[in-house]
Amino acid sequence: MAIMRRLLITLLFLGVATLSLAQTENRFIVSEGDTLRYTYTPIAFDSTQFVQPQRKGFLGRVVDYFGRSTEDHTFEKKLDITFAGGPSYSKTTQLGIGALAAGLYRIDRTDSITPPSNISIFANVTTSGFFSLGVTGNTIFRDSRRKVSYDATFSSAPRDVWGIGYAAGRYNPKSDFVEQRYSIRARYAERIFPNTYVGLLAQFEHTNGRKFDELSLSYIEGQKHRYTATGLGAILEYDSRDFIPNPARGIYVSLQGIWFAEGLGNCEKDLWRSSVTVDLYQRLWPSGLLAFDFYGEFNADGAPWPMLARMGGNQRMRGYYLGQYTDNNMLTCQVELRQHIWRRIGCVVWGGGGNVFSKREPFQWRHTLPNYGLGLRWELKKRVNVRMDYGFGRDTSGFLLSIDEAF
């Protein structure tokens, strides 16, 4: 009987609690001499809990996508990658449309000391008939003990040509041809002392020139239209940069030498190429950075026209048409002030100069070409910038759109 009585009291309690939801109350139930006091608080009904969140429009999703792209997800993801695309333009290739993917990753995602590795993949098609596809990147192993760098480019482009040497680029009328070019390069470097590395370099180049007219044929001085070369070389460098695509501090000094064996191509002779790079980065104030770059390239006498040093492009002597000034050797120097403006936006101004020369046209100070310009920066990923530069030179200027800093 006692069990039945307790069961009856419990059922009555549950029934009353279910039916009364108006307010907190005290109630009493009396059954066969037992008294039960209970208190309940009704749950307020909130209609917003049942409203489905509104789906953002396309522009809202795009804003959110790029808003998250500057956050560091390399500790959570194997590859933190962002895609972008849009119109492109350069003095060499004209107006076009391009697409790129920029990614960051870590070999060891528990290592917060080693800077992240990076990879960039790009494609571009323009109104001039130019197209290119390429990949470039740097892989940094734990504690920066080893580094692997690589780049590969496949392109076809209508090219203007003036001939070989300073005087040709300065005074000759331009002609044109179509250049198909395939280039693959890989580097491996091992640390032997603090910030000091030695390593190996391998490179493959294939160039095919087409649609030469009589003037452009005379500019390559009777050389073949097609050349292939494969080379092996050595590297010695000092590198204390904190992040290779966009350093904020550090020093980079690199000496490279590469030998192109006659039997690994069709150049009909052994060739060599050496280069020296000196980069310095110094913080001037919290949002301002001064960057310095010196570069020298030296090729063997008798190097064929596709393997000569070409002034211009999107790294050095920006604003000059790539290849207007071409010769065996080249020296360039530039100083750039990089200033952060607001959130993901920054700007730069730079100035410098360059010179091309050879044995038949030796180095002369009066042949040094000036270079200066300004640009905008937009942070696509954390410390990976899309850059828009407008460069000026002697009787020339040009706009460039690219990724990563120029140096």
Side-chain angles (χ1 to χ4, degrees), residues 115-364:
S117 304
N118 69 286
I119 182 172
S120 298
I121 303 170
F122 57 89
N124 198 13
V125 179
T126 74
T127 55
S128 68
F130 167 84
F131 74 85
S132 70
L133 176 67
V135 57
T136 181
N138 300 278
T139 300
I140 313 298
F141 292 86
R142 187 176 180 85
D143 298 329
S144 300
R145 288 193 299 265
R146 294 183 297 275
K147 302 187 300 181
V148 174
S149 302
Y150 52 88
D151 59 76
T153 304
F154 309 92
S155 64
S156 177
R159 294 290 190 194
D160 292 338
V161 59
W162 288 259
I164 299 172
Y166 169 83
R170 186 81 173 90
Y171 302 111
N172 281 357
K174 71 177 180 180
S175 186
D176 56 67
F177 71 105
V178 175
E179 180 185 68
Q180 294 177 334
R181 191 176 184 91
Y182 311 94
S183 174
I184 302 173
R185 184 174 64 168
R187 305 188 326 151
Y188 172 83
E190 182 98 20
R191 189 178 65 201
I192 56 172
F193 300 113
N195 300 320
T196 305
Y197 297 82
V198 295
L200 300 174
L201 167 68
Q203 185 163 337
F204 171 81
E205 298 181 7
H206 173 78
T207 305
N208 181 27
R210 301 187 299 109
K211 299 185 178 179
F212 288 98
D213 59 17
E214 290 187 8
L215 184 58
S216 57
L217 280 174
S218 70
Y219 285 164
I220 66 172
E221 303 175 351
Q223 298 181 54
K224 294 186 297 187
H225 298 185
R226 181 181 300 180
Y227 283 96
T228 301
T230 304
L232 298 173
I235 306 164
L236 174 63
E237 62 185 27
Y238 178 91
D239 189 0
S240 63
R241 294 172 295 177
D242 59 331
F243 185 54
I244 294 175
N246 183 8
R249 64 179 184 274
I251 299 173
Y252 177 66
V253 179
S254 174
L255 302 174
Q256 297 185 21
I258 185 167
W259 172 60
F260 296 94
E262 177 184 357
L264 298 178
N266 68 341
C267 298
E268 300 176 355
K269 62 185 300 186
D270 290 342
L271 299 170
W272 57 265
R273 176 185 298 152
S274 61
S275 65
V276 56
T277 305
V278 180
D279 293 338
L280 309 172
Y281 306 90
Q282 178 63 51
R283 181 71 62 184
L284 299 180
W285 49 81
S287 59
L289 177 74
L290 188 68
F292 168 85
D293 171 69
F294 172 82
Y295 177 75
E297 181 179 326
F298 310 93
N299 290 281
D301 292 335
W305 62 267
M307 300 181 67
L308 298 176
R310 299 181 179 187
M311 182 175 289
N314 63 7
Q315 284 187 287
R316 299 175 174 94
M317 303 298 287
R318 286 163 280 177
Y320 284 88
Y321 188 96
L322 177 64
Q324 179 175 353
Y325 294 93
T326 298
D327 215 326
N328 276 79
N329 310 315
M330 177 174 68
L331 295 174
T332 68
C333 183
Q334 57 184 328
V335 179
E336 185 169 275
L337 176 63
R338 301 171 182 174
Q339 175 66 49
H340 177 256
I341 299 176
W342 178 72
R343 292 193 176 181
R344 305 167 74 142
I345 300 173
C347 67
V348 306
V349 293
W350 80 85
N355 198 308
V356 295
F357 57 98
S358 63
K359 280 187 176 180
R360 68 178 182 180
E361 282 192 58
F363 178 90
Q364 298 184 49

Side-chain angles (χ1 to χ4, degrees), residues 368-396:
T368 299
L369 298 162
N371 182 230
Y372 57 94
L374 68 165
L376 286 175
R377 300 292 181 266
W378 183 73
E379 191 178 27
L380 174 64
K381 293 198 68 62
K382 188 174 181 64
R383 296 184 65 183
V384 176
N385 291 336
V386 173
R387 58 184 171 95
M388 296 154 278
D389 290 331
Y390 199 93
F392 300 86
R394 181 172 293 168
D395 302 324
T396 187

